[in-house]
Amino acid sequence: LITLNPALFRNDSPETIIGCVTLGVTHPPGYPLFNLIGKCFSVFAVGNPAFTYNFMASLLAASGACLFCINLWMLLANIETSNSQTNTFLKIKYIACFIASLSFAFSNGYWGNAIAAKGGIYILQIISELVFLMFFQVSIFKETIDIFKFYFLFFLFLVGGINHWPSQTLLVPAILLLFIFQTKKFKKPFSHLKTTAICLTFSLITLSVYLYLPLRAHLYPVLNFDAPYTWNRFIGSILRSDYTKTEIMRLNHDAFLPELSRKSIYISQHLFSEFNCLAYIFIVIGVYQLNKIHKKITSFFLILLLTIILTNLFYLQVNPIEFWHLDDHLLSSNWILGILMGVGIYISSKLLNSFKIPNLKRNPQIVLIGLC
């Protein structure tokens, strides 16, 4: 509350606030889910509309930090189970989850989005990804997936698509790779026709939230971006057709290589400025140890991280003065790096725990490990 923006912040925050207050149509892809949630949140008004929706972003961010902690706790529990050491290092697990969760919550990009209304859209996307990961972990570590879990995961994936679908699609390469690994381990063989029909039904039901755009646009609200009340305008709004003309890096672009170089430097600086410098040591340890324990979940994290970086590097066309746009599109990398850092802290703490400090009782010793 102390650091929250009292009024307007970031380029699109005024538009986001108006979209929630008036149930308007914001810029493509329209963010229908966020607008509807925002309208419902208006009953908890804590001041002027700007402050209310800045506050909503902070509450979403707090929820995201809790979901991050739950995911890390589940991952560490699965690591213990893989090593037949269930609850052997419970206090160390508390320390790892506590430190990594706070590091994630206070990371520059996440905190920046947590204090402004527009940032709430990206925070909501992180929440959808972490909810998906929570149930996805169960299937990966059990090495089996039944038809119900498959449909449920598919539904959760679609939910993320009705908020900021370009970010959600970045999960696809990593999911497809693991899906190929797992196909031989399904409890029951899927009927292709039936599975396709059910997935299509789920898609129509979930994505029908996008009908908000033409329904509201037809009533000419105060904010009616692109007025998507015809079929062509509707599809163009969802697919961000007007934006793709300026957002895609073209191979014949004269300044492609210089721009690629500048973006590489900016993305590198971004990735290495999100956390304290010591965190990256734990991230390396986490990747190394997690790969030894479970290669599939490690490959999921690394492929997703690589997809995020390459998409921002080669796909997004951004002028150097507006490179800060990349920060929002790189936000998913924060929870990936945070999870890997948490694993690194846990493994390192276990190693430190093996060294006995003379004349020091057990609990102070564990606290000392946590401080280290």
Side-chain angles (χ1 to χ4, degrees):
L1 284 172
I2 291 170
T3 63
L4 204 62
N5 281 286
L8 306 178
F9 181 66
R10 299 179 71 93
N11 64 332
D12 292 335
S13 275
E15 178 195 336
T16 303
I17 293 160
I18 294 170
C20 292
V21 171
T22 66
L23 278 180
V25 178
T26 49
H27 71 271
Y31 311 110
L33 181 63
F34 188 83
N35 285 345
L36 291 167
I37 293 173
K39 186 62 177 178
C40 293
F41 190 81
S42 65
V43 300
F44 304 105
V46 287
N48 65 66
F51 187 82
T52 296
Y53 290 108
N54 293 341
F55 180 61
M56 174 180 160
S58 71
L59 286 180
L60 289 172
S63 303
C66 294
L67 281 168
F68 174 90
C69 188
I70 292 168
N71 270 287
L72 180 56
W73 182 273
M74 288 174 63
L75 182 60
L76 295 180
N78 285 317
I79 289 173
E80 286 180 340
T81 304
S82 301
N83 292 335
S84 302
Q85 296 176 332
T86 307
N87 289 331
T88 307
F89 301 99
L90 189 61
K91 291 181 180 178
I92 291 176
K93 194 160 63 169
Y94 278 125
I95 289 170
C97 288
F98 181 73
I99 295 172
S101 299
L102 283 185
S103 297
F104 167 69
F106 288 104
S107 60
N108 291 334
Y110 194 75
W111 186 268
N113 280 290
I115 57 176
K118 171 64 175 179
I121 292 174
Y122 298 106
I123 296 291
L124 183 61
Q125 196 61 33
I126 296 297
I127 287 174
S128 73
E129 291 172 10
L130 289 172
V131 171
F132 178 85
L133 177 66
M134 193 163 58
F135 293 95
F136 190 63
Q137 278 196 70
V138 177
S139 301
I140 294 302
F141 278 98
K142 286 189 176 179
E143 298 288 337
T144 56
I145 182 169
D146 56 35
I147 191 74
F148 175 77
K149 287 178 184 174
F150 173 78
Y151 290 142
F152 185 62
L153 286 171
F154 184 71
F155 170 73
L156 289 177
F157 180 80
L158 289 171
V159 170
I162 54 177
N163 181 53
H164 191 261
W165 68 262
S167 297
Q168 193 72 358
T169 54
L170 298 178
L171 290 168
V172 172
I175 294 170
L176 281 178
L177 184 68
L178 286 182
F179 185 75
I180 292 167
F181 287 156
Q182 297 289 107
T183 43
K184 295 180 180 179
K185 297 182 179 180
F186 290 140
K187 288 182 178 178
K188 296 179 182 178
F190 293 177
S191 164
H192 292 297
L193 183 61
K194 181 181 177 182
T195 304
T196 304
I198 293 175
C199 287
L200 182 61
T201 305
F202 268 130
S203 301
L204 291 173
I205 292 170
T206 310
L207 299 179
S208 66
V209 176
Y210 275 111
L211 291 175
Y212 165 90
L213 302 180
L215 289 171
R216 284 300 295 161
H218 183 69
L219 297 175
Y220 299 100
V222 173
L223 185 68
N224 198 3
F225 213 108
D226 280 1
Y229 49 76
T230 66
W231 176 254
N232 289 336
R233 284 173 177 264
F234 174 52
I235 296 300
S237 180
I238 293 176
L239 299 180
R240 298 169 60 90
S241 299
D242 290 341
Y243 285 83
T244 53
K245 298 170 187 175
T246 56
E247 284 185 347
I248 300 175
M249 290 184 73
R250 298 175 179 83
L251 292 176
N252 60 352
H253 196 281
D254 294 337
F256 180 79
L257 289 177
E259 187 170 328
L260 196 65
S261 175
R262 288 195 296 267
K263 282 177 71 178
S264 300
I265 294 169
Y266 184 86
I267 290 172
S268 299
Q269 290 174 341
H270 170 92
L271 292 174
F272 287 101
S273 66
E274 287 298 296
F275 299 96
N276 184 280
C277 58
L278 291 175
Y280 297 93
I281 298 171
F282 290 117
I283 289 168
V284 173
I285 295 170
V287 171
Y288 177 73
Q289 292 295 333
L290 189 59
N291 189 57
K292 287 171 64 176
I293 297 165
H294 204 284
K295 287 183 169 58
K296 289 178 183 176
I297 195 71
T298 310
S299 65
F300 173 79
F301 288 136
L302 293 181
I303 291 168
L304 179 53
L305 181 62
L306 189 63
T307 304
I308 292 166
I309 294 170
L310 292 178
T311 303
N312 279 275
L313 187 60
F314 290 103
Y315 180 82
L316 279 177
Q317 168 78 33
V318 186
N319 296 322
I321 198 171
E322 294 185 335
F323 273 174
W324 58 269
H325 278 296
L326 296 173
D327 296 342
D328 297 330
H329 292 89
L330 288 165
L331 190 59
S332 295
S333 65
N334 286 38
W335 68 257
I336 301 169
L337 294 174
I339 291 279
L340 295 172
M341 177 178 58
V343 174
I345 292 170
Y346 175 72
I347 298 296
S348 302
S349 299
K350 277 176 61 178
L351 291 174
L352 282 171
N353 189 55
S354 62
F355 297 102
K356 303 298 180 184
I357 304 172
N359 302 321
L360 191 63
K361 291 183 179 180
R362 186 69 179 157
N363 284 343
Q365 187 172 327
I366 289 174
V367 171
L368 185 61
I369 289 167
L371 288 172
C372 290

